[in-house]
């Protein structure tokens, strides 16, 4: 059964993009670690690397949110499960560890 708004191709493209960006984040984290270990580096160097990590993670979050809102929420509305899906989305967006 194919649901309106649900595109396997768009989900696959999003997943590939997310994985690609997560690999970049891994590289950024390695750079942060190397800069932090270097006794000659300045706090500004570490902050710059952390900013790159945060920016990359923000882009990943936006990609996943866009995909979920476009496909997952649409599917939930069509199957009559919008309230639960809305609560789940709000919980994910407001989660703090």
């Amino acid at each position: 059964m194919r649901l309106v708004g649900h595109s396997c191709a768009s989900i696959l493209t999003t997943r590939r993009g997310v994985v690609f960006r997560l690999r970049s984040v891994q590289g950024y984290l390695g750079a942060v670690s190397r800069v932090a270990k270097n006794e000659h580096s300045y706090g500004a160097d570490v902050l710059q690397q952390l900013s790159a990590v945060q920016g990359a993670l923000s882009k990943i979050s936006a990609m996943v949110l866009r995909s979920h809102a476009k496909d997952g929420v649409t599917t939930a509305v069509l199957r009559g499960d919008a309230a639960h899906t809305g609560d789940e989305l709000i919980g994910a967006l407001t989660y703090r560890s």
Side-chain angles (χ1 to χ4, degrees), residues 12-85:
L12 184 58
T13 300
T14 299
R15 287 183 189 273
R16 286 180 180 157
V18 166
V19 170
F20 175 79
R21 289 180 184 274
L22 284 171
R23 287 186 185 134
S24 294
V25 169
Q26 287 176 323
Y28 291 143
L29 288 173
V32 172
S33 181
R34 286 188 299 277
V35 169
K37 288 177 185 175
N38 183 344
E39 63 187 51
H40 301 293
S41 64
Y42 295 100
D45 298 327
V46 175
L47 290 171
Q48 183 177 17
Q49 294 298 322
L50 288 172
S51 181
V53 170
Q54 290 169 335
L57 289 173
S58 290
K59 287 180 183 179
I60 294 167
S61 293
M63 289 173 70
V64 172
L65 175 59
R66 187 177 303 111
S67 176
H68 182 64
K70 181 178 167 190
D71 296 319
V73 174
T74 301
T75 300
V77 168
L78 291 172
R79 70 172 184 248
D81 196 22
H84 172 74
T85 301

Side-chain angles (χ1 to χ4, degrees), residues 1-14:
M1 175 170 92
R2 188 180 184 320
L3 298 173
V4 177
H6 182 74
S7 167
C8 290
S10 70
I11 292 170
L12 184 58
T13 300
T14 299

